[in-house]
Amino acid sequence: MKVVLAYSGGLDTSVIVKWIKDRFNAEVITFAANVGQEEELSGLAEKAKATGATAHYTVDLQDEFVADFIYPMIRANAIYEGQYYLGTSIARPLIAKAHVEIAKKEGADAVAHGATGKGNDQCRFEIGYAALAPDLQIISPWRMDEFREKFPGRSEMIAYCRENGINVEASAKKPYSMDRNMLHISYEAGILEDPWFDPTVPENKEMFKTTVAPEDAPDTPVYIELEFEKGDCVAIDGKKMKPSDILRALNKIGGENGIGRVDIVENRFVGMKSRGVYETPGGTILTFAHRNIETITMDRELMHLRDSLIPKYAELIYNGFWYAPEREALQAFIDKSQDTVSGVVRLKLYKGNITCVGRKSPLSLYDENIASMEGVESEYNQNDATGFIKLQSLRLRQRARKQGVDSKIFQNKSELIRE
């Protein structure tokens, strides 16, 4: 049996390499995806092989991640439950795709991962595998009774490594877990499981890696201009860049100005509520800027229809259905809606806040003459509003005449005084 394991080099996956090899009498090949986590990826091949793997792949997915996954998501202004920028969620379908590609190249019988049986990632990975390679066997050790019985805690895993000569850093466990990629860093579990715990107080704020606290950000605002073409950011302050370089630049600018921190309790796909703390500096700026260029370039009804689909689109990404036909169909509609979303947005960044202070486009639908309150002549005739309002309110007048008005409406709680 040949198994390709998603591998980080940490304690869990180091144990899993050896355990799968022995439990299934399998040849284990390890795989690590570079999605910009900036954790130490060098030396993983040697470490994996010393643990029992016969080969290792480290695949650089950073450019593809931003161009083909993050950017399409930003065209939709996708935010899960109104707050979460889907940083972890959007990386998983790409990692699953690369995992399947290696499994096919190696002629593997199965793929394996170290995701917990309580989280969303098990769903995202395995739904991705199913969509792309339905016949591949999936091994998920944390959902196997025998694995959990053998390793009920961290100390048993460390002991197993010592017994089997597996070199891991057996340092004290961090008081929270962290996942990082180019779009964000997530923090959860441990001390963060208490939803009343405040990680922003001075004694805790060292947890944050990419953003300064808003109160520690510079006292002078920073202005930037983002240029969009068909919904995609293509330049910062007039300088054209590829998507991954744009996100890196915005992460730096946003982080320095305290942009992008979110602390939420979200609804996991598996049913439980979970508290998470996130840093998404560049993604927050991109989404905000994209929304603002849409305000002058997108038709009202098209925007409202697209906006009505955002919760469903975000939910599909959060739950792991990137490769589902409904997500692909929504994406086609979203991408079509972006045909006219081109122009420049000027932003002011200051102590955790983003303000739009300018927007312009050759395709702008905004007409100063139509909008002006200064009596400028245009094709808008204020007299036309009389019939418009009369027709819009027709059904309400008929309702009041035929069915009456709810008496509770006139139960005025304040005294009416005639002067």
Side-chain angles (χ1 to χ4, degrees):
M1 184 181 191
K2 185 183 285 190
V3 180
V4 178
L5 168 68
Y7 178 77
S8 68
L11 179 60
D12 287 24
T13 52
S14 294
V15 167
I16 288 171
V17 171
K18 171 69 174 171
W19 187 82
I20 287 178
K21 182 179 179 181
D22 293 346
R23 168 63 178 77
F24 295 95
N25 190 27
E27 175 187 354
V28 178
I29 296 166
T30 53
F31 149 69
N34 180 2
V35 287
Q37 59 266 50
E38 296 190 16
E39 296 168 357
E40 188 56 58
L41 293 172
S42 63
L44 280 185
E46 294 77 10
K47 185 173 185 180
K49 290 175 183 177
T51 309
T54 58
H56 174 81
Y57 291 82
T58 296
V59 185
D60 189 346
L61 302 172
Q62 295 176 87
D63 289 344
E64 182 180 3
F65 181 36
V66 182
D68 297 343
F69 290 80
I70 295 174
Y71 264 37
M73 182 177 71
I74 287 174
R75 286 176 216 139
N77 295 329
I79 303 175
Y80 180 69
E81 296 185 337
Q83 298 186 84
Y84 173 43
Y85 286 86
L86 296 162
T88 297
S89 314
I90 193 60
R92 293 337 191 197
L94 174 58
I95 295 171
K97 180 172 79 75
H99 201 168
V100 166
E101 288 171 345
I102 292 169
K104 288 184 174 181
K105 179 178 179 179
E106 289 287 342
D109 305 287
V111 290
H113 62 79
T116 174
K118 281 192 172 183
N120 293 310
D121 280 346
Q122 58 178 337
C123 306
R124 296 165 182 156
F125 285 134
E126 295 186 29
I127 291 170
Y129 303 148
L132 301 174
D135 296 325
L136 269 179
Q137 182 181 341
I138 300 169
I139 299 174
S140 177
W142 284 113
R143 294 207 306 269
M144 300 172 68
D145 291 340
E146 58 185 297
F147 186 84
R148 294 196 309 274
E149 288 168 3
K150 186 173 181 64
F151 303 109
R154 184 176 172 84
S155 60
E156 288 81 6
M157 300 183 86
I158 293 172
Y160 179 84
C161 290
R162 289 173 178 164
E163 292 167 6
N164 290 278
I166 299 171
N167 183 25
V168 294
E169 292 184 9
S171 58
K173 188 177 181 180
K174 287 187 299 185
Y176 50 83
S177 66
M178 184 180 84
D179 180 82
R180 183 172 187 169
N181 62 43
M182 291 184 71
L183 184 56
H184 87 156
I185 302 181
S186 68
Y187 308 93
E188 60 184 13
I191 56 175
L192 297 174
E193 289 177 353
D194 176 4
W196 194 253
F197 175 82
D198 182 0
T200 69
V201 296
E203 60 267 28
N204 297 325
K205 68 180 183 180
E206 290 302 315
M207 178 183 81
F208 296 95
K209 304 298 182 186
T210 61
T211 59
V212 301
E215 59 266 31
D216 296 331
D219 294 330
T220 303
V222 172
Y223 290 84
I224 59 172
E225 293 184 4
L226 302 188
E227 181 180 347
F228 286 83
E229 291 180 3
K230 294 190 173 183
D232 291 343
C233 185
V234 297
I236 301 175
D237 293 333
K239 182 181 178 181
K240 297 276 187 176
M241 289 184 275
K242 66 182 181 180
S244 57
D245 287 340
I246 283 175
L247 185 57
R248 288 188 187 96
L250 292 179
N251 278 334
K252 183 176 185 300
I253 296 168
E256 291 170 348
N257 288 278
I259 305 294
R261 291 188 180 186
V262 176
D263 186 334
I264 63 176
V265 174
E266 67 201 61
N267 289 295
R268 283 186 177 172
F269 189 27
V270 292
M272 69 185 73
K273 289 185 180 290
S274 173
R275 193 268 188 98
V277 178
Y278 302 98
E279 293 180 275
T280 318
T284 301
I285 295 171
L286 271 178
T287 302
F288 183 88
H290 176 257
R291 168 63 80 177
N292 276 277
I293 194 60
E294 285 185 331
T295 62
I296 62 170
T297 58
M298 185 180 283
D299 173 77
R300 180 189 72 182
E301 294 306 311
L302 178 60
M303 177 185 285
H304 291 180
L305 178 58
R306 191 282 314 275
D307 286 356
S308 72
L309 299 170
I310 290 175
K312 182 61 178 179
Y313 180 91
E315 181 183 88
L316 289 171
I317 294 175
Y318 185 84
N319 292 346
F321 290 95
W322 180 262
Y323 299 111
E326 62 271 31
R327 200 284 309 175
E328 293 168 352
L330 282 176
Q331 192 72 58
F333 169 75
I334 288 162
D335 292 350
K336 177 62 179 174
S337 77
Q338 301 297 292
D339 282 352
T340 61
V341 182
S342 300
V344 178
V345 174
R346 186 168 69 241
L347 303 178
K348 175 183 176 181
L349 312 180
Y350 183 67
K351 291 188 177 294
N353 295 299
I354 313 174
T355 305
C356 181
V357 293
R359 69 289 278 166
K360 63 182 179 179
S361 170
L363 300 175
S364 176
L365 298 174
Y366 178 81
D367 187 312
E368 290 185 48
N369 289 337
I370 291 176
S372 176
M373 297 294 183
E374 300 301 322
V376 180
E377 287 191 12
S378 72
E379 65 179 294
Y380 187 90
N381 186 333
Q382 295 187 54
N383 293 340
D384 293 342
T386 301
F388 174 78
I389 296 169
K390 191 170 184 178
L391 290 177
Q392 290 294 319
S393 60
L394 173 62
R395 64 188 178 88
L396 301 181
R397 290 198 303 273
Q398 286 297 96
R399 180 186 183 221
R401 289 169 179 154
K402 303 296 184 178
Q403 300 176 352
V405 178
D406 189 344
S407 60
K408 292 180 181 178
I409 293 175
F410 292 106
Q411 291 179 358
N412 204 310
K413 299 297 190 298
S414 60
E415 184 179 357
L416 300 178
I417 301 175
R418 183 178 182 182
E419 295 180 350

